[in-house]
Amino acid sequence: MQTAVLEVAGIKDCRITRCGYTGEDGVEISVPSCYVQHLTEALLNENENIKMAGLGARDSLRLESGLCLYGADITPQTTPVEAGLTWLIARRRRSEADFPGANRILAQLQKGTKDVTHRRIGFTMLGEKKAPPARTGVQIYNQNKCVGYVTSGCLSPSLGKILLWDIFLKSFVTRIS
């Protein structure tokens, strides 16, 4: 991620951050709220290839890329082991144990799934393509027992499927792994 403070469309001190939050190469532009309409109109008028997109577009891109949303798919209580994000903990950090939550996370890594109560897993929803996606908080049942819940879900236009991030209880994950 890179960031710079520049002038855009005559607005000084715009913070531009190059980020790949959706899995696509993109930028976020931060300006005081009083300049948002001016900036939006200037960008849309400057280039016919620039289009407005909402949170639905962001969600479909991030779900297709396998990225999670903080506050929905992961929370301050979720460890990288539970979230399936251990690849983000560098070897140096693991050996030095110099990061917040290191004791808990490194213990989970050492013990495998023994200390993990739940796991984040991506799924595609079965059924008709025209069916609405399962929404955040919908419980998932297996043989009349709640085994998890949906944290994110949306239609993937490029895949033609409904994609979901779900949190499953450890006892169920062990059976499907």
Side-chain angles (χ1 to χ4, degrees):
M1 184 165 75
Q2 299 168 319
T3 187
V5 177
L6 303 168
E7 182 175 322
V8 179
I11 305 167
K12 295 185 186 301
D13 300 327
C14 295
R15 176 162 303 278
I16 302 174
T17 306
R18 182 174 177 258
C19 53
Y21 175 74
T22 63
E24 299 292 323
D25 192 18
V27 297
E28 289 183 4
I29 304 173
S30 300
V31 297
S33 59
C34 62
Y35 296 117
V36 170
Q37 183 174 347
H38 169 75
L39 177 61
T40 302
E41 290 172 355
L43 291 172
L44 291 172
N45 292 332
E46 179 67 28
N47 185 326
E48 67 184 35
N49 293 319
I50 295 176
K51 306 285 185 222
M52 298 280 284
L55 293 177
R58 179 209 61 189
D59 277 348
S60 66
L61 287 170
R62 76 172 179 82
L63 283 166
E64 287 173 359
S65 298
L67 302 174
C68 48
L69 179 62
Y70 184 79
D73 306 314
I74 57 174
T75 68
Q77 292 75 37
T78 310
T79 69
V81 177
E82 296 159 347
L85 299 172
T86 56
W87 59 275
L88 293 169
I89 307 170
R91 286 185 186 139
R92 180 190 62 78
R93 302 296 301 269
R94 291 178 191 209
S95 64
E96 295 175 11
D98 64 345
F99 56 92
N103 291 339
R104 179 178 174 205
I105 294 165
L106 295 174
Q108 285 180 332
L109 287 170
Q110 270 187 337
K111 296 176 185 177
T113 60
K114 292 176 189 160
D115 270 3
V116 177
T117 59
H118 57 278
R119 292 291 307 249
R120 180 182 65 96
I121 300 174
F123 275 92
T124 57
M125 198 165 103
L126 299 176
E128 295 182 34
K129 290 182 183 177
K130 294 180 181 180
R135 304 313 279 172
T136 302
V138 169
Q139 294 181 334
I140 301 167
Y141 286 84
N142 181 47
Q143 298 178 351
N144 295 322
K145 182 180 178 190
C146 182
V147 295
Y149 59 93
V150 174
T151 59
S152 291
C154 73
L155 173 66
S156 165
S158 57
L159 298 175
K161 298 177 181 180
I162 294 173
L163 303 179
L164 305 169
W165 273 129
D166 305 309
I167 302 293
F168 284 97
L169 302 177
K170 176 190 167 194
S171 59
F172 185 69
V173 173
T174 304
R175 286 189 299 219
I176 64 171
S177 296

